[in-house]
Amino acid sequence: MSALTLYNYDLDENCYKVRLLLSCLGAEVGQVAVDVFPGRENLSAPMRAMSPSGTLPILKQDDFVLHEAEAILSFLARRDPDRRFLPDDPASFGRVMMWLTFSTRELDAAVHARATAMMDAPGDIEALRTAARDALRIMDDHMTRQHFEGLDYFAGPQPTIADIALFPSFALSRDYNIDHDHFPALRRWARAIRKLDGFITMPGIPDYH
Amino acid sequence: MSFRGWYPLALSRDIAPGTSTGTRVHGSEFVIWRDDKGGAHVWEDRCPHRGMKLSFGFVRGDHIACLYHGWQYDTAGQCRYIPAHPDLTVPKTIKVPRFSVAEAGGVIWGCFSEEDDDAPPAPKLPVAAAALRSIFADCPAPLLVERVGLLDVEGLTPDVSTIDDRILEVRLGGNTLIACVQPVADKESALHIVAMEELDAAQMKPLALWAEELRRDAESFARKAAIREIAA
Ligand code: FES
């Protein structure tokens, strides 16, 4: 059996989610750099064979292929013997899944807003920004109430893959012109994420030093 | 727009030592930051180097560093360090304008009209027992204030007394809240809400939900008012 391979593009926030989790788990996987811009290599036939819609990241091991960042996060967290980022008890597990789903659906607007603002992807930037802000507000409201109970993360007292999945769109929000000023609870949460063992940044997320 | 008196800018809780954020009052931009010893600072949100926002920067000890080229400023606003010229004694003229700052009632206040020495007396508020939350809404401050007294949510009916035009006392479900009103810009405002009694998480939660609903309600009113204006 060959080793796990991650098909990665450094500027893609969905790829960053996987790199961030791997780093927090202290897990090593081989990486293949995909030339998304300007090469559009993600749309080539061999890539489409693995990820039909041309999205990254992709995780592959022999015949086993996963696309969709949230699925890859779940797989990697489940594989970790200590289950550090995916609690087993049903209630916590359910909360993690709820926020993972939120990250793919509600924060999709944020991913598109960023692509439109930075890479001239087609899209109604105002509508995308409004939808992204609505999603960030829901997150800030939730974390405000979590903090009342002394809970520092989305699904409870410990960081999970839900936090990993939600983090990039907030951390990168200035790329699509939404400041952090109106999200005090998310600022506090983001500081907690930045302190995780193994935390890494991506281009656009400053590394304060 | 001229500034008058003290403006609430943030909950003290929400600006932890070693952190910064941006804010606006009547559209003008300010950075709020707290040094590692706990002192709060309110400055113009503009780095003297190339005018980038200092609120994007980060706090190190008692300096705030600009994100762009790393110029560092001490608590007096004086630039102390320029990474591209580490041996340079930085000229005294490279300085960020600072404003008077006060913390009262669990809220950080800024005063923008006067020199440091003759700012009007800071607002007098009892010590807050619990910080609830800030809400930021796309609506003018007077509309937000009007809606505070009108919003019933699940049996929570507010009873509002106006202490002054930036401080409201809101009696809500047996609790006394103080809501401080920040005019962010023409069509944006914020409320910084604290509670006068100790509250546990179970008591805070319905109050936080009331505040979220207030934001929805005020914004939907502002949108309807805007549509009426266009129609008229
Ligand atoms: S703009 Fe602030 S250091 Fe250059």
Side-chain angles (χ1 to χ4, degrees), chain A residues 130 133-134 136-150 174-175 177-185 187-188 191 194-195 204-209, chain B residues 13-24 30 45 53 55-58 60 67 131-134 136-138 184 188 200-201 204-205 208-209 212 215-216 219:
Chain A
T130 302
R133 190 186 67 164
D134 287 347
L136 293 176
R137 276 181 166 184
I138 289 170
M139 290 165 58
D140 190 71
D141 291 347
H142 175 70
M143 284 314 299
T144 300
R145 288 183 255 117
Q146 290 286 87
H147 288 152
F148 294 157
E149 298 182 55
R174 285 165 185 149
D175 284 352
N177 220 351
I178 295 183
D179 273 346
H180 290 177
D181 303 0
H182 291 176
F183 305 105
R187 293 201 304 267
R188 176 172 154 188
R191 288 198 299 278
R194 282 177 170 279
K195 291 202 186 105
I205 300 180
D207 190 6
Y208 305 133
H209 47 81
Chain B
R13 172 199 69 193
D14 284 342
I15 312 295
T19 71
S20 62
T21 187
T23 189
R24 283 169 294 148
F30 303 98
D45 195 6
K53 283 187 176 191
S55 56
F56 287 6
F58 50 95
R60 279 295 169 270
L67 185 62
L132 186 64
R133 62 165 300 161
S134 296
F136 301 88
D138 291 345
V184 173
E188 288 174 75
D200 62 23
M204 301 271 270
K205 202 173 150 188
L209 290 169
E212 290 170 29
R215 180 184 63 208
R216 254 175 239 128
E219 290 190 340

